[in-house]
Amino acid sequence: MTYLPPPAEELRLIDAELWQLDARRAHLLRRRAWLLAALPAPVPPAPLAPPLAPPHPEASAPRVQNVLLLLGGVLLTVAAMAFTLVSWGHLGIAGRALVLGAVTLATLAAPVALLKRGLGSTAESVAGLGLALTVLDAYALYEAALTGTDGTAYAALAAAALAGLWAAYGLLPVTHRLRTPIPAALACAQLPLFLWAMAVDAGPYGGALALLVTAGFDTVVALRGNARTLRLVAAVAACGTGGSGAWTAGLLSWDAAGPGAAARAAALLALAAVIALGAAWRLERPVTAASGALAGGLLLVAACGGVLRAVLPDDWTVPGHLLCGVALLAAVRAPLPEPVRRGLALASGCVQALALLWAVPLVAVTLAGPAAWAGHAWSGAPSDARAAVTVDAPWPPHAATVPVVLAIVTAVLLVTVRDTVWRPRALVAALPLAWATLLVLPPVLELPYSAGLSVQGLVTAGALLTAAFVRGHGPAQPAAQSPAQVTALVLALVGSLALSFTALASRSATLAVLCVLTALFAGASRLPRLAPFTAPAAFAHATALAVATGAGAGWQPAHTALLVVLVPAAAALLAARLGDSPVTVPVEVVGAVAGLLASGLTVADPPLLALVLGLCAVITSGVALRPDRRPVGYAGAVLFALAAWVLLASWGVVAPEAYTLPVTVPALLVGVLRRRREPGTSSWPAYGPGLAATLLPSLAAAWGDPHWTRPLLLGAAALLLTLLGARHRLQAPLVLGGAVLTLIALHELAPYLIQLTGALPRWVPPALAGLLLLALGATYERRIRDVRRVREVLGKLN
């Protein structure tokens, strides 16, 4: 029997066994860790190759089935065609009828049995083959018994008969599940009317009518058809036949020789428009309905505009179409579906956009044409305003009604747009249209030259007034940020530029126009909202006025520059008064450009160029007195130096010191002031540029100077600079002065060294060089230490 100890004894034994197991486990884990560290990293076993998966099929079973059925049907159709075309003559009349009839009936009856067995795809393929055989039957009948009849008329009748036969076949109770016959019948139905119109010689009007009637039938089928495939085929067919018919009607309307022909083409276009609008009325998708209404609206405009074009002169072709397009806007308030109204409004917008595009050439000629007067300035006032804008540019054809087109579109924007969101945008768009309308009136009406200038000036003043009194559209939006104000300002600036060029034809007109424009923009600059734009424009016109005044007085360009310098002076004074204003920078920029123009006018006269540069330097130095324009002082110094150099060059001075000392002295004074204000400034930025400006050019001149005066003076100056640098422990004077002094000494000793070199034997220079290298090698370390000490000494200098 098994001995069972007491529970307490058994518990003690279990604990002792567990402790021994834990100790053994810990020992084994330590041993395992040591072995892992001692052994090299084991090579991971190569992964097992995945089992080969069965190849994935690249085509699904239904797709393979459809391809096979399609190929089979095509091959059988080709075989039937070959039989009909090649082997037909070997059979008699009865044999022919029996073979074709039997094959066709068998083929058309086969889908019934296939549908009963559930083979729908096979039934569709066989039914398609049967439909193709009926076409061959019709061809065979014509070749066998009806060769004397008209081929086009027979094709029309055969197409109608085949369409009816296929439709009836697809509607039979036993074949109504086939999807091919009904769409095929619809596709075949596209031919009868068009072929019949060709057969009876109905002409292009009859052909277009046949296409449009067919498109109407397709549209009805597309809107009322039950099957999706049928509706898709009908929609594609309607777009194809309707587009072809509408295009043909449009060409007929464009080529119409009289009102009768235009009315017939308009009737065709109206029929196409009715079809498109009827489809848009019944369509459910808003985008598709709007597209149909857009097409219908454009067709209506083409229809009405074609009739007007045949009645009115050629100049009124575009305005007539535009009026028809504007009339479409009446449909916006009619009880029509929203997509239809949107499409008609879009059609009206397209017509107006095309009309504006037609008006662009005349506006471009009016604005850019007068620029050609710059090459014919003051050659005499032209005969009228049209001649003033067509200096080197041709007058656009049929441009007499451009103001009418611009005025109509402007009125449409002002009257018809009432929406709170689009109303402000319409007003902004109406501004340039109204401005362009007034601008093109003088050349269109061939007003006198002075009257044209007056109208342009009034238009520019009106644009400025509009910019002055227009207000922002938001409650917290300042007028300066209003799009209407920015647009009016741009129009005023562009108009003033075109007016200035137009006035170049006559001297008196140029001076009068520039005076008026300067005063006009200067007066507008009193408004803070306009000043950032109008103040620079006023100074620009003042610059042009100064140039024109000097030229009108018969002055040379160099003397005219003295008058132009007044513009940068006035700009600097105004900028100093304005302070930190948005107008300051534009005014200063225009003043700088005017100063550059003045300098360019005096290039041929060096004394006056020096004077102009000096005046510009004075103006620039005055600007630099402002705390926020201190860096401009550098430009003033450069201008002073340039003025001095130009003056010296005009006097024939060739000594470089005469050019460099006027730069060096002020630069050194500026360096002294800078070091006093900023004691930590290094001597290189303080004195280096000024000293180098004189020392380097003088050294270059002294190196090739055969006389002793310049080297002596330059050496003395370099010695003085070296001593001053050593005395005040300044690095720039010490280094520059020492270097120049050394080079001057070498220059003076060069002749003697050359003589000494010639007197010595030829082996002496290599020997001396070898001794020098030995000495340097022997004392290399000490020389490096000495060089480091010299560098440290120079580094301690300021």
Side-chain angles (χ1 to χ4, degrees):
M1 295 187 60
T2 303
Y3 170 73
L4 296 176
E9 182 64 18
E10 186 179 1
L11 182 60
R12 184 184 65 79
L13 293 175
I14 292 175
D15 290 340
E17 291 291 339
L18 289 175
W19 181 86
Q20 292 178 0
L21 290 175
D22 290 339
R24 183 61 178 170
R25 175 179 174 79
H27 172 72
L28 293 176
L29 288 175
R30 287 194 300 269
R31 184 62 180 174
R32 181 179 183 276
W34 182 87
L35 291 175
L36 289 176
L39 293 175
V43 179
L48 297 176
L52 296 177
H56 184 70
E58 297 181 358
S60 61
R63 183 174 300 177
V64 173
Q65 169 189 326
N66 294 334
V67 171
L68 294 177
L69 292 174
L70 178 61
L71 290 176
V74 170
L75 291 176
L76 289 176
T77 303
V78 171
M81 291 176 61
F83 170 77
T84 305
L85 297 176
V86 177
S87 302
W88 182 256
H90 299 289
L91 299 176
I93 297 177
R96 299 172 188 175
L98 182 61
V99 170
L100 276 179
V103 171
T104 303
L105 291 176
T107 305
L108 292 177
V112 178
L114 293 173
L115 288 175
K116 291 180 178 180
R117 295 178 176 273
L119 301 176
S121 299
T122 307
E124 294 285 352
S125 180
V126 175
L129 175 61
L131 299 181
L133 288 176
T134 57
V135 178
L136 294 177
D137 290 340
Y139 171 76
L141 179 61
Y142 176 77
E143 288 293 333
L146 301 175
T147 53
T149 60
D150 184 14
T152 306
Y154 177 78
L157 293 175
L162 289 176
L165 177 64
W166 294 354
Y169 179 71
L171 294 175
L172 291 175
V174 292
T175 58
H176 70 279
R177 287 185 295 171
L178 294 174
R179 294 176 295 178
T180 305
I182 301 299
L186 181 62
C188 188
Q190 309 303 309
L191 301 176
L193 286 179
F194 182 71
L195 293 176
W196 183 259
M198 293 178 60
V200 299
D201 196 12
Y205 291 93
L209 178 61
L211 290 174
L212 293 176
V213 171
T214 304
F217 170 73
D218 296 333
T219 303
V220 174
V221 175
L223 293 175
R224 296 182 175 275
N226 296 325
R228 183 175 180 275
T229 305
L230 178 63
R231 292 198 304 269
L232 180 60
V233 173
V236 173
C239 293
T241 55
S244 301
W247 182 260
T248 305
L251 294 178
L252 293 174
S253 176
W254 184 259
D255 296 334
R264 291 196 298 273
L268 294 175
L269 291 171
L271 176 60
V274 169
I275 295 172
L277 292 174
W281 190 299
R282 296 294 304 271
L283 289 172
E284 297 179 356
R285 294 185 178 180
V287 176
T288 310
S291 302
L294 170 63
L298 293 177
L299 290 171
L300 285 177
V301 171
C304 300
V307 175
L308 293 178
R309 188 184 66 84
V311 177
L312 299 176
D314 292 339
D315 290 344
W316 291 91
T317 298
V318 175
H321 284 80
L322 178 60
L323 289 175
C324 297
V326 173
L328 290 178
L329 294 176
V332 175
R333 301 183 180 277
L336 297 174
E338 177 62 24
V340 176
R341 288 189 290 145
R342 190 184 309 117
L344 292 175
L346 186 58
S348 176
C350 291
V351 174
Q352 297 178 54
L354 291 174
L356 291 179
L357 188 63
W358 172 78
V360 165
L362 179 59
V363 179
V365 168
T366 306
L367 291 176
W373 285 111
H376 312 281
W378 297 355
S379 59
S383 58
D384 52 40
R386 180 177 296 185
V389 300
T390 56
V391 185
D392 294 331
W395 182 256
H398 309 302
T401 54
V402 168
V404 178
V405 170
L406 295 174
I408 290 174
V409 179
T410 304
V412 169
L413 290 175
L414 294 176
V415 174
T416 60
V417 181
R418 295 296 182 183
D419 186 74
T420 56
V421 176
W422 289 97
R423 177 68 176 175
R425 303 174 185 176
L427 294 177
V428 173
L431 278 177
L433 293 178
W435 173 78
T437 304
L438 298 176
L439 201 65
V440 301
L441 273 178
V444 169
L445 300 178
E446 297 185 80
L447 297 179
Y449 175 66
S450 58
L453 291 179
S454 302
V455 172
Q456 282 186 301
L458 292 175
V459 170
T460 303
L464 272 181
L465 289 176
T466 303
F469 293 103
V470 75
R471 292 288 183 255
H473 305 299
Q477 184 182 14
Q481 298 178 0
S482 170
Q485 185 183 42
V486 174
T487 303
L489 278 173
V490 172
L491 296 177
L493 294 174
V494 174
S496 67
L497 184 62
L499 178 59
S500 301
F501 279 116
T502 308
L504 286 177
S506 171
R507 177 184 305 179
S508 58
T510 301
L511 296 175
V513 165
L514 291 177
C515 286
V516 171
L517 289 178
T518 302
L520 182 64
F521 282 96
S525 301
R526 296 177 62 87
L527 297 176
R529 300 188 302 271
L530 306 183
F533 301 92
T534 55
F539 278 102
H541 288 102
T543 304
L545 178 61
V547 175
T549 302
W555 296 355
Q556 295 294 327
H559 296 87
T560 304
L562 299 177
L563 191 60
V564 177
V565 172
L566 296 176
V567 176
L573 293 176
L574 180 60
R577 183 178 179 181
L578 293 174
D580 189 12
S581 171
V583 190
T584 304
V585 174
V587 167
E588 289 176 341
V589 171
V590 175
V593 174
L596 184 62
L597 175 62
S599 302
L601 291 174
T602 57
V603 170
D605 194 339
L608 284 178
L609 175 59
L611 177 59
V612 170
L613 289 174
L615 293 175
C616 292
V618 172
I619 297 171
T620 308
S621 301
V623 173
L625 295 177
R626 293 160 49 191
D628 56 339
R629 293 292 187 269
R630 297 297 187 197
V632 183
Y634 296 105
V638 172
L639 289 174
F640 273 123
L642 290 176
W645 292 351
V646 171
L647 188 60
L648 290 173
S650 66
W651 291 345
V653 177
V654 295
E657 290 79 10
Y659 296 89
T660 58
L661 285 176
V663 177
T664 296
V665 174
L668 292 178
L669 292 177
V670 172
V672 170
L673 295 176
R674 182 177 178 182
R675 282 181 57 82
R676 286 184 178 180
R677 185 178 302 171
E678 302 175 3
T681 305
S682 174
S683 62
W684 283 107
Y687 305 127
L691 294 176
T694 295
L695 291 177
L696 297 182
S698 298
L699 178 62
W703 197 263
D705 194 348
H707 304 286
W708 60 271
T709 307
R710 178 178 279 112
L712 177 61
L713 295 177
L714 182 59
L719 177 60
L720 179 59
L721 285 175
T722 304
L723 295 176
L724 288 175
R727 171 68 178 81
H728 296 284
R729 303 182 66 183
L730 297 176
Q731 196 176 89
L734 180 62
V735 173
L736 291 176
V740 172
L741 183 60
T742 303
L743 293 175
I744 289 295
L746 290 175
H747 174 266
E748 295 301 317
L749 293 176
Y752 303 101
L753 293 176
I754 294 173
Q755 294 177 3
L756 181 61
T757 304
L760 291 175
R762 294 187 176 181
W763 57 268
V764 173
L768 293 177
L771 292 174
L772 179 61
L773 292 176
L774 288 176
L776 289 176
T779 59
Y780 181 74
E781 184 177 0
R782 186 171 60 184
R783 299 299 181 186
I784 292 179
R785 185 171 65 250
D786 294 340
V787 171
R788 289 177 179 173
R789 289 178 180 177
V790 172
R791 186 177 61 184
E792 291 175 0
V793 171
L794 291 177
K796 292 178 181 179
L797 298 179
N798 205 344

